Structures are given as structure tokens and as C-alpha cells.
Amino acid sequence: MTQLGFYFDNSRCTGCKTCEMACKDYKDLGEDILFRKVYDFEGGVWSANDDGGWDTTTFSYHVSAACNHCAAPACQSVCPTEAILRDEETGLVYIDEEACISCEACVAGCPYSVPKMDPITNMARKCDGCLERVKAGQKAICAEACPLRALELDEIEKLRKEHGELDQIAPLPANATGPHLVIKASPAVEVAAGEKGFVANEKEIA
């Protein structure tokens, strides 16, 4: 089995949310559900220096995140009806909505807050990596739509070889499920490592 995963170039992302909107349009999602979210992460302080000027450790960057199609998906492990499956050809994780009983176990279990309950269908839904597009030889819609080419879906080992092993930056949680994700961090991430940060658009992505 080929295992696909996402590459996200944090140094290129401008927070335009084109990936988010393209996914929402392609998957025909209602106003209350997102498969891909763009976090606006900010923080740092200003402080007066001895010369009468000001120093700053402020930072701001964006993180585009969706399902990481993990090696050990927490959503899959807690599903009582085995409604969450891994595609044998691509390794992408998807939900069989016919087997879903709306128990919300996957919603509570995922550390990345990926599965969501669709208020219209009352079924759990999430990013499936655009499985049908990928099998047809097309790109995932989020990667195709990104104007800065900050997203890519490809074989995870190829992505790690080309871009490194980093799979977590704030505000994403630390690796607990083997995310098939590779991240290129921007210089702002180094600044953020020593400062307190917060998600500035929390209501938008809740």
C-alpha cells in the first residue's frame, strides 16, 4: 500500500483561506462545518529598551490543517461500528457514512479536532484527502486551489525525504497518532517557540 500524506509549507502560507473555501465548495459543506481549517496564530510582546526605543518578540503565522490520515488514527480506534476505514490503495482514512451511528466517539477522540458532526445529515464527516480525485489522477482540491503552492498531497516517505521530518508546529498538538504530515516552518515559528501564542480566529474555525 502506498501511504499518502500532506506537506504544508508554512513559509509560503499567507492565510488567504483559499484552500479552506475550495474544500468547502467542492465537498458542498454547510456553514457550520470545515474539513480544512486555517489557524491564525499570533503572540509575543513589546518592551521598552534602554535607548528609549522598543524591542519586540511579536509574531504571526498561519497553519492550514486537515485530517492527517494518521498511522494510528484515534478516530478509527474509538469507532464502535468500524465506520472509519483506511483505503488500501492510498492509505487515506475516510468515513463510511452508512455505518456511522452518530455516536460522536470519533469527534471526541481525535486530538486534531478533525471529525465533525454534520448538522444536516447528523453523521460524522471529515477530510478524506479527496480520495475520488486522487484515484482519478487529480490533486486534492485544497492543494490544487492554493495560489502559493503551500500544500501538496503525495507519498509520505517521498515528502519526508524532500522536506524533512517536522510534523508539528503550534497550535497543532504534539504527535500522538503518527500523523502523515510534513511541515516546512517559517522563521516566525522559531520566534514563537519562546513566546506565548494564541489562535486569533478561534470562533471562525470552531
Side-chain angles (χ1 to χ4, degrees):
M1 179 184 71
T2 297
Q3 178 61 59
L4 301 184
F6 279 107
Y7 167 62
F8 169 60
D9 189 340
N10 171 244
S11 69
R12 282 179 173 265
C13 183
T14 63
C16 71
K17 301 179 176 60
T18 302
C19 58
E20 190 179 281
M21 292 299 102
C23 171
K24 197 172 182 70
D25 179 60
Y26 180 72
K27 292 294 186 178
D28 193 25
L29 304 178
E31 63 182 38
D32 296 324
I33 187 169
L34 292 170
F35 283 0
R36 179 165 287 279
K37 302 176 182 179
V38 178
Y39 295 85
D40 298 333
F41 195 65
E42 304 175 5
V45 296
W46 288 86
S47 58
N49 60 38
D50 295 336
D51 298 328
W54 290 82
D55 296 321
T56 183
T57 58
T58 57
F59 63 86
S60 175
Y61 62 82
H62 313 283
V63 178
S64 177
C67 180
N68 295 314
H69 304 280
C70 302
C75 59
Q76 186 179 46
S77 67
V78 299
C79 178
T81 61
E82 299 183 351
I84 299 180
L85 307 170
R86 186 185 300 277
D87 180 65
E88 293 183 358
E89 182 181 346
T90 65
L92 295 173
V93 178
Y94 65 97
I95 297 176
D96 177 359
E97 293 187 17
E98 291 186 2
C100 176
I101 58 172
S102 309
C103 69
E104 302 189 37
C106 60
V107 177
C110 176
Y112 299 96
S113 300
V114 166
K116 298 293 182 185
M117 295 302 295
D118 189 319
I120 297 176
T121 65
N122 196 35
M123 297 292 178
R125 299 185 69 188
K126 73 170 194 67
C127 160
D128 63 0
C130 286
L131 185 57
E132 72 288 346
R133 288 177 58 89
V134 171
K135 287 193 169 185
Q138 300 174 295
K139 293 182 179 181
I141 197 69
C142 56
E144 182 175 275
C146 178
L148 275 298
R149 299 296 177 257
L151 284 169
E152 185 178 347
L153 179 69
D154 207 335
E155 295 182 23
I156 191 62
E157 291 308 318
K158 175 185 175 184
L159 293 174
R160 286 171 177 161
K161 184 176 180 180
E162 292 179 354
H163 304 292
E165 298 284 338
L166 183 65
D167 61 15
Q168 189 274 332
I169 59 174
L172 301 183
N175 178 346
T177 56
H180 289 125
L181 173 68
V182 177
I183 299 169
K184 179 181 177 180
S186 67
V189 174
E190 295 183 15
V191 177
E195 298 292 329
K196 290 183 178 180
F198 63 96
V199 176
N201 63 331
E202 191 169 349
K203 290 184 177 181
E204 177 184 301
I205 61 174

